[in-house]
Amino acid sequence: MSFSLPPLPYKLDALEPHMSAETLEYHHGKHHKTYVDNLNKLTEGSEKADMDLMDLIKLSKGNSEMVGIFNNAAQIWNHTFYWNTMGPQGKNAPNGKLKDLMERDFGSYEQFQETFVNAGATQFGSGYAWLVLNTKKDGKLEVLKTGNADLPTEEGIVPLMTCDVWEHAYYIDHRNRRPDYLKVFLNELVNWEFAEENLRSV
Ligand code: MN3
């Protein structure tokens, strides 16, 4: 099998009480795993099975004959990125260069939080909220939202962190209250060190 399910970067109960072990068990062990199984079935026996995941995402994006491949490949990448966005480190906030850019581009960390929660809450149906660096605008930070499995792959747009706003991400812990989930995610779950690492790698 060419594509595999990366292990969670922490234990199932590591994010409690803010995200339950039950949520992670289903979200990683069933949803994320299903995307991996589906992509392996869809690419079995073809040269696509040996491709780099991001290369396959870019190849299939917008191609009407590769919709299934795109959806499953993108969901594998998005979930791995989402797991890494979170951590058991407890409450923390952006530091260093990321903090400076946030203050420059959003006014303050609090205003960024408001923009991010609003983006996630207003994404109609399933999707993701993202913090990205736009290198085509002199390294400006931007908040984006994408629908379903989509992700920012445009040249010059570098994802720094993401929040999964599909119902399966929050329904066990928050029922239908997506804004509550987004606030807990920002206040308690984001590992800003991961976003800072992504910023340093640009
Ligand atoms: Mn999900």
Side-chain angles (χ1 to χ4, degrees), residues 29-101:
K30 299 195 186 297
H31 291 278
H32 196 177
K33 181 179 185 297
T34 300
Y35 301 126
V36 174
D37 293 344
N38 286 344
L39 187 63
N40 281 326
K41 278 181 215 148
L42 288 165
T43 57
E44 201 176 354
S46 90
E47 74 284 356
K48 293 184 188 75
D50 301 319
M51 282 181 71
D52 168 74
L53 185 63
M54 184 50 83
D55 290 343
L56 185 55
I57 289 169
K58 288 179 177 170
L59 177 74
S60 57
K61 188 165 177 168
N63 182 334
S64 59
E65 285 168 14
M66 292 176 70
V67 173
I69 287 180
F70 173 76
N71 283 338
N72 288 286
Q75 285 293 69
I76 296 171
W77 194 93
N78 290 347
H79 281 89
T80 303
F81 196 73
Y82 169 65
W83 307 134
N84 286 316
T85 291
M86 299 186 289
Q89 73 293 319
K91 206 182 274 291
N92 70 140
N95 256 306
K97 190 182 173 194
L98 184 58
K99 180 172 186 269
D100 294 344
L101 291 181

Side-chain angles (χ1 to χ4, degrees), residues 140-156:
K140 189 175 186 285
L141 294 181
E142 295 177 337
V143 166
L144 303 177
K145 53 185 176 179
T146 56
N148 297 316
D150 201 13
L151 66 157
T153 53
E154 295 77 9
E155 196 62 42

Side-chain angles (χ1 to χ4, degrees), residues 27 35 75 79 128 164 166 168:
H27 201 174
Y35 301 126
Q75 285 293 69
H79 281 89
Y128 295 83
D164 183 339
W166 287 55
H168 65 223

Side-chain angles (χ1 to χ4, degrees), residues 43-199:
T43 57
E44 201 176 354
S46 90
E47 74 284 356
K48 293 184 188 75
D50 301 319
M51 282 181 71
D52 168 74
L53 185 63
M54 184 50 83
D55 290 343
L56 185 55
I57 289 169
K58 288 179 177 170
L59 177 74
S60 57
K61 188 165 177 168
N63 182 334
S64 59
E65 285 168 14
M66 292 176 70
V67 173
I69 287 180
F70 173 76
N71 283 338
N72 288 286
Q75 285 293 69
I76 296 171
W77 194 93
N78 290 347
H79 281 89
T80 303
F81 196 73
Y82 169 65
W83 307 134
N84 286 316
T85 291
M86 299 186 289
Q89 73 293 319
K91 206 182 274 291
N92 70 140
N95 256 306
K97 190 182 173 194
L98 184 58
K99 180 172 186 269
D100 294 344
L101 291 181
M102 214 168 251
E103 285 167 1
R104 185 194 70 183
D105 297 335
F106 296 101
S108 65
Y109 175 49
E110 288 69 29
Q111 277 172 287
F112 155 76
Q113 287 181 299
E114 206 178 306
T115 305
F116 191 87
V117 168
N118 188 52
T122 60
Q123 168 54 38
F124 184 75
S126 297
Y128 295 83
W130 304 84
L131 173 65
V132 304
L133 184 80
N134 188 335
T135 65
K136 288 192 165 171
K137 290 188 188 165
D138 291 330
K140 189 175 186 285
L141 294 181
E142 295 177 337
V143 166
L144 303 177
K145 53 185 176 179
T146 56
N148 297 316
D150 201 13
L151 66 157
T153 53
E154 295 77 9
E155 196 62 42
I157 306 286
V158 182
L160 302 181
M161 53 80 98
T162 194
C163 184
D164 183 339
V165 298
W166 287 55
E167 270 187 356
H168 65 223
Y170 60 87
Y171 209 83
I172 292 170
D173 295 328
H174 301 277
R175 297 300 169 196
N176 61 328
R177 299 183 302 276
R178 190 191 287 183
D180 289 1
Y181 157 63
L182 281 155
K183 283 174 199 158
V184 169
F185 170 85
L186 283 179
N187 288 327
E188 310 288 349
L189 293 169
V190 175
N191 172 15
W192 284 107
E193 181 53 38
F194 175 68
E196 286 156 24
E197 261 170 45
N198 291 326
L199 182 63

